[in-house]
Amino acid sequence: MTAIVDIRDLTKTYGSGHQALKGVSLQIAQGEILALLGPNGAGKTTMISVICGITNPTSGTVTVAGHDIIRDFRAARATIGLVPQEVALEPFANVADTVAYTRGLFGKAPAPDRIEAILRNLSLWDKRNAQVNELSGGMKRRVLIAKALSHEPRVLFLDEPTAGVDVELRKDMWRIVGELREGGVTIILTTHYIEEAEAIADRVGVINHGQLLLVEDKATLMARMGRKEMLIELQEPVSALPEALSGYSLERNGAGDVLTYAYDSQAARTGITRLLSDLNAAGLNVRDVQTRQSSLEEIFVGLVKEDA
Amino acid sequence: MNWQAIRAIYTSEMGRTVRTPLQSLVSPVISTSLYFVVFGSAIGNRIQQVEGIEYGAFIVPGLIMLTIMMQSVSNASFGIYFPKFIGTFYELLSAPITYLEIVIGFVGAAATKSLVIGLIILATAAFFVELRIAHPVLMLSFLVLTCVTFALLGFIIGIVARNFEQLQLVPLLVVTPLVFLGGSFYSVAMLPPFWQTVTHFNPVLYLISGFRWSFYEVSDVGVGVSLAAIALFLFACLAVTWWLFRTGYRIKS
């Protein structure tokens, strides 16, 4: 894997003594979408702040596109775009000017065509001459995204970009993220919306108490850690499980007409065939069978609980 | 050098002035005109001449200095404090720019605004009194150096301030008294001996005195001393600014 972002043993201890990052190491491949999940105060924003130059690291190294963020900060930062968590914008500037301002800060010559394309793509073109303080919350979020894209970054950090926004913007956001990925942009996303990570990420990282608990391909993670369950609906309810089925991890619901069988979908033998056969032998007739996989949210909650 | 970034900061800051012409340009001109009315006409009727110069004309350099010092401090401190207050400071920290470029952008814009105001006041003064500028190049040099130095001071205040009250504290409690007591409206020679000695500890005296010399070739201290004083003040502000950025004090955790 060619890492466009390479984080090694990154630590951050604030003046108060609070250790926000405890030796985080992470490699992010070019063109991938990585979702960082973690509860409030887990260290997600601190990690992004360090990489972007907003906060000083205490120890460890970070390179972006091969450039060290301290020694070669100009080259490193020039490749990075950041959409911050807070909606922070100059209230009296107009939309087009504030986007052009960010482009200038990143050392790029004025490019009205480029700014126009970004504003059109984010449905902001009609608002280009409006003052930022006249915009709705959702529109302001779009302006933040436009600013982050104004200098054509190769790595884009989205720090909870869809927190508190409407469904339309969230879907727009996912569309834009998809388009950027197609253009080769690497995206690191922090989010509280697990379905967001589930929908758009290639890999998922879980961070808690300043430590990276895991980073794994999303599909692999769900397959490896996802508990799969089979719901067996019986034709007649049972008051107790027959002795012949005591070897299975079966749970009976309150009414006694549904049995839940938990199994490892990755195991060589799931035991499903034998269970169905034993059910039949025990005289229990099956009306219906359903399977369901635990969501990323359940996996996340499980991991964070273990770490608590 | 990231010239595009400097340009972006500079034009953005200048843009704020253009958006608020009443506050940025008209207000200081009105204030100065009022000073002329009060000091030039009312008091000037009782003080005919100071060191051989008509009182109304004598106070022009002091008035310009008073305004540009206040404006430089206020523009620069607000310019850098405002992004901190509204949370857009992250943009500066995450952009590929050096601290020097940030300083050039913000201080350059604040100094330019003050310089323009200074020149407008000079033009306004010409309507009230007969002006004579003996050393125009030196006058302009003093003007530029003072604008830059006090803009740097304002920049430092803007970085260090935690709230709007602190932002106003130094300009109101330190700069204003120093400027008023630094010979803006009088010659130090008019004071009793004790207060003459006290006034010589006021750094602003040297700036106003040198600036006035470039107009009328009269001064409270030698012009060389004035130039040395402003150079020293500029160096001190640069040193503090450098320290702030080097340590990240109130900038970066």
Side-chain angles (χ1 to χ4, degrees), chain A residues 251-269:
Chain A
E251 279 176 30
R252 195 174 59 88
N253 75 344
D257 59 346
V258 177
L259 303 178
T260 304
Y261 173 58
Y263 63 98
D264 179 2
S265 63
Q266 300 297 304
R269 289 175 183 277

Side-chain angles (χ1 to χ4, degrees), chain B residues 103-246:
Chain B
V103 171
I104 292 173
F106 279 101
V107 171
T112 305
K113 288 181 217 174
S114 306
L115 188 64
V116 170
I117 291 167
L119 294 174
I120 290 173
I121 292 170
L122 190 62
T124 310
F127 288 103
F128 291 91
V129 293
E130 196 178 323
L131 276 178
R132 176 171 64 87
I133 303 171
H135 303 279
V137 175
L138 193 65
M139 184 276 286
L140 208 58
S141 305
F142 264 114
L143 205 57
V144 171
L145 276 171
T146 308
C147 287
V148 171
T149 305
F150 277 76
L152 262 173
L153 176 65
F155 187 85
I156 293 165
I157 294 166
I159 290 284
V160 173
R162 286 184 194 273
N163 51 46
F164 276 103
E165 190 193 16
Q166 290 183 2
L167 200 67
Q168 298 295 330
L169 215 61
V170 174
L172 283 176
L173 298 185
V174 181
V175 179
T176 306
L178 286 180
V179 175
F180 270 87
L181 300 174
S184 300
F185 303 109
Y186 55 84
S187 165
V188 175
M190 295 162 77
L191 299 174
F194 173 76
W195 289 110
Q196 279 190 36
T197 307
V198 170
T199 305
H200 277 82
F201 286 100
N202 181 353
V204 174
L205 165 77
Y206 300 89
L207 310 185
I208 294 174
S209 173
F211 191 52
R212 184 172 286 134
W213 187 87
S214 71
F215 279 75
Y216 310 121
E217 293 181 310
V218 294
S219 61
D220 292 313
V221 293
V223 69
V225 178
S226 288
L227 280 170
I230 195 160
L232 188 69
F233 197 15
L234 178 63
F235 177 77
C237 288
L238 282 171
V240 174
T241 309
W242 175 81
W243 178 83
L244 285 174
F245 279 120
R246 186 175 164 76

Side-chain angles (χ1 to χ4, degrees), chain B residues 6 20 34 48 73 80 82 99 113 115 155 182 193 195-196 201 246-247:
Chain B
I6 295 172
T20 55
L34 289 173
Q48 294 298 320
V73 170
I80 193 66
F82 193 54
Y99 297 140
K113 288 181 217 174
L115 188 64
F155 187 85
W195 289 110
Q196 279 190 36
F201 286 100
R246 186 175 164 76
T247 58

Side-chain angles (χ1 to χ4, degrees), chain A residues 167-222:
Chain A
V167 178
E168 188 192 356
L169 176 57
R170 193 172 302 169
K171 285 188 175 166
D172 248 15
M173 183 76 187
W174 294 2
R175 173 184 60 80
I176 291 161
V177 166
E179 287 172 9
L180 287 168
R181 197 248 299 261
E182 280 171 25
V185 177
T186 306
I187 292 156
I188 296 99
L189 168 86
T190 72
T191 182
H192 278 308
Y193 299 108
I194 312 286
E195 69 271 24
E196 193 161 78
E198 210 163 341
I200 61 176
D202 299 316
R203 283 200 302 161
V204 175
V206 178
I207 189 168
N208 197 22
H209 300 309
Q211 287 177 310
L212 208 52
L213 301 181
L214 67 83
V215 184
E216 195 137 2
D217 179 82
K218 182 183 64 185
T220 312
L221 175 68
M222 291 185 67

Side-chain angles (χ1 to χ4, degrees), chain A residues 12 14 52-56 73-75 77-78 80 82 84 87-94 98 100-102 104-110 131 144 147, chain B residues 1-13 16 19 82 86-99 101 106 247-248 251-253:
Chain A
K12 173 65 191 177
Y14 287 103
C52 294
I54 297 166
T55 302
N56 289 321
F73 76 94
R74 268 197 208 270
R77 289 184 201 168
I80 299 173
L82 168 66
V87 179
L89 290 162
E90 153 86 62
F92 307 113
N94 78 35
T98 196
Y101 170 74
T102 306
L105 284 185
F106 279 78
K108 296 266 184 166
Q131 275 196 351
L144 284 177
K147 282 166 81 74
Chain B
M1 221 37 167
N2 185 347
W3 292 109
Q4 293 291 350
I6 295 172
R7 180 175 171 274
I9 295 169
Y10 184 87
T11 50
S12 169
E13 285 301 301
R16 187 176 291 128
R19 282 199 300 271
F82 193 54
I86 61 174
T88 56
F89 200 66
Y90 82 90
E91 277 202 279
L92 295 167
L93 295 177
S94 61
I97 52 178
T98 61
Y99 297 140
E101 289 153 2
F106 279 101
T247 58
I251 297 170
K252 218 175 187 181
S253 55

Side-chain angles (χ1 to χ4, degrees), chain A residues 221-248:
Chain A
L221 175 68
M222 291 185 67
R224 186 167 68 82
M225 301 197 71
R227 207 171 78 110
K228 205 152 186 181
E229 291 176 336
M230 184 167 69
L231 305 177
I232 305 157
E233 193 180 336
L234 303 174
Q235 284 188 348
E236 299 292 334
V238 289
S239 55
L241 284 172
E243 187 60 32
L245 300 175
S246 60
Y248 296 97

